[in-house]
Amino acid sequence: MSAPDLYAVFGNPIAHSRSPAIHAAFAAATGEDLRYEARLAPLAGFAGAIAEFVAAGGRGANVTVPFKEEACRLSNRLSERAARAGAVNTLTFSDGEICGDNTDGVGLVQDIAGNLGFPLSGRRILLLGAGGAARGAIAPLLAAKPASLHIANRSADKALALADLFADIAPVTTSNFAELTGKCFDLVINATSASLAGENLPLPEDLFAAGALAYDMMYGKGETPFLHWARIQGAARRADGLGMLVEQAAEAFRIWRGKRPDTAPVLAELRRQLTS
Ligand code: ATR
C-alpha cells in the first residue's frame, strides 16, 4: 500500500489552526487518501521549511499568517487571483515547480453569496481595512458585480493606493472612517485586524441600509467586537468568518484533488465546537 499524499499548513503561530481537522473531514467525505499536518515555520525560515517539505514528498500546502506575501514571492507560477492579491494561501508542488494560488477571496464570496444566500450583484459594499486581508477580497468582490465598492481605512492613503491596484477592473472609492458619515451600505465587511488588539473601529452611525449584512472576517467564541457593534447599529444580518475559513479550504482541496467537498457538515461541526 502506498503512503497517503502529504499536505500541510504553514504559519507562525500554527498550533490552533483548524485546517488539519477541516481537510481530514474533506478527505474522509470524498474518499481521498491524504495526510494533512500543521507545521510551525520559523519566522525567518519559511522558504527553508517549504523546501524541506517538498523534499519529503509534500504535494501541497496552505500558508497562513505571517507568510502569505513571502509565499507569493516564492512561487514560480501564480494564478491571476494570487497575483492580484499579492499573497498566496495555497501552494501546489509539481514537476519541480511551486504554483501559488489564493483562495481567500473566493472563499469569502462563496460564504456570503452561497452559504448566507446574500447575492452581491447590485449591492453597495463597504470594505473596512487596507491590509493583506482586504487586498485578497477585492478582485473576487468586483467579479460579483456589486453596484459599488468603497474601501475605508484608518489611514486613507493606504486605501487609495490599494484601490489604484484594481482600477483596471472597476472604479473603487476610498476614504478614512470619519468620511463615511452619511453613507449607507448593503454589505459591510471587516477586514481590519483591530479586534486582535481588542480595539473598536471608530465608525460613524447609520452605515447599514435596510436588510444589510455585517460580515467579520474574524471569528471566535461568541460575538466579535465588530458584530457586536453591528447588532447595536441595527444591521439586519451578521456573520463571522468561520464560513470563509471552510470555503477557502474547500477551494484549496479542489485545486489539489479535483473534487470540491460539501462544506455544510464541516462548517456545522466547527460551529458546534466553537460554541460548546
Ligand atoms: P492583514 O493581513 O490581516 O490585513 P495587515 O496587512 O497588517 O493585516 O493590515 C491590517 C489592517 O487592519 C490595516 O488596514 C490596518 O489599518 P492601517 O492601514 O491604518 O494600519 C487595520 N487596523 C489594524 N488595527 C486597527 C485599529 N486599531 N483601528 C483601525 N484599523 C486597524
Side-chain angles (χ1 to χ4, degrees), residues 69 129-134 153-155 158 177 191-194 197 199-202:
E69 282 84 6
N153 196 47
R154 181 168 56 181
S155 36
K158 255 178 89 177
F177 295 136
T192 74
S193 53
E199 288 169 23
N200 285 316
L201 298 171

Side-chain angles (χ1 to χ4, degrees), residues 18-102:
R18 290 167 196 273
S19 292
I22 294 172
H23 282 277
F26 289 164
T30 56
E32 292 291 297
D33 188 23
L34 60 85
R35 204 168 92 222
Y36 187 111
E37 301 170 351
R39 298 228 174 163
L40 180 74
L43 287 177
F46 174 70
I50 291 294
E52 211 172 280
F53 184 65
V54 174
R59 302 280 294 266
N62 284 131
V63 181
T64 187
V65 177
F67 299 123
K68 290 183 187 183
E69 282 84 6
E70 195 175 345
C72 191
R73 293 191 293 274
L74 196 65
S75 301
N76 311 114
R77 277 201 291 143
L78 281 179
S79 67
E80 158 77 17
R81 61 194 182 189
R84 284 275 180 192
V88 157
N89 79 331
T90 303
L91 294 169
T92 306
F93 312 117
S94 67
D95 302 330
E97 275 205 317
I98 300 180
C99 302
D101 204 339
N102 189 313

Side-chain angles (χ1 to χ4, degrees), residues 139-150:
L141 287 173
L142 290 174
K145 300 273 180 264
S148 59
L149 177 62
H150 186 95

